[in-house]
Amino acid sequence: MNYDKVYNMSFQKLYPLLVNKAEKKNRTRNEVNEIISWLTGYQQKEIEDAAGSSVSYGDFFRNAPALNPNRKLIKGVICGVRVEEIEEPLMQEIRYLDKLIDELAKGKSMDKILRK
């Protein structure tokens, strides 16, 4: 399967969609940023900077400062596919974020989302 279309999407365009999904369910931008930071190691300012730049979604994950080792604890289905069974590593990282934002929107506590 060719994932280039997803990898080449602009983080600047996708980030507001993630925030909007959370805010529709009375969650916050700060919670979205906390999830992104936990998953990737980016600090809040770096996330906001990326959201205002032309960095691609793929490069955002490729250049992540410190992918959280506990991300492997993320299990479940996103878009009809189990995240733990995705074989393409970069797509798996992207789907981890999708899964965490889904959990946020469904009302899970941050402790459970961040696998604490």
Side-chain angles (χ1 to χ4, degrees), residues 55-70:
V55 68
S56 72
Y57 209 34
D59 285 343
F60 180 79
F61 281 94
R62 283 184 200 103
N63 299 326
L67 292 171
N68 192 313
N70 287 341

Side-chain angles (χ1 to χ4, degrees), residues 21-22 25 27 100-108 113:
K21 183 173 189 170
K25 298 295 185 169
R27 301 308 288 255
L100 295 177
I101 299 300
D102 274 1
E103 291 177 1
L104 180 68
K106 289 179 180 173
K108 269 195 172 182
I113 294 169

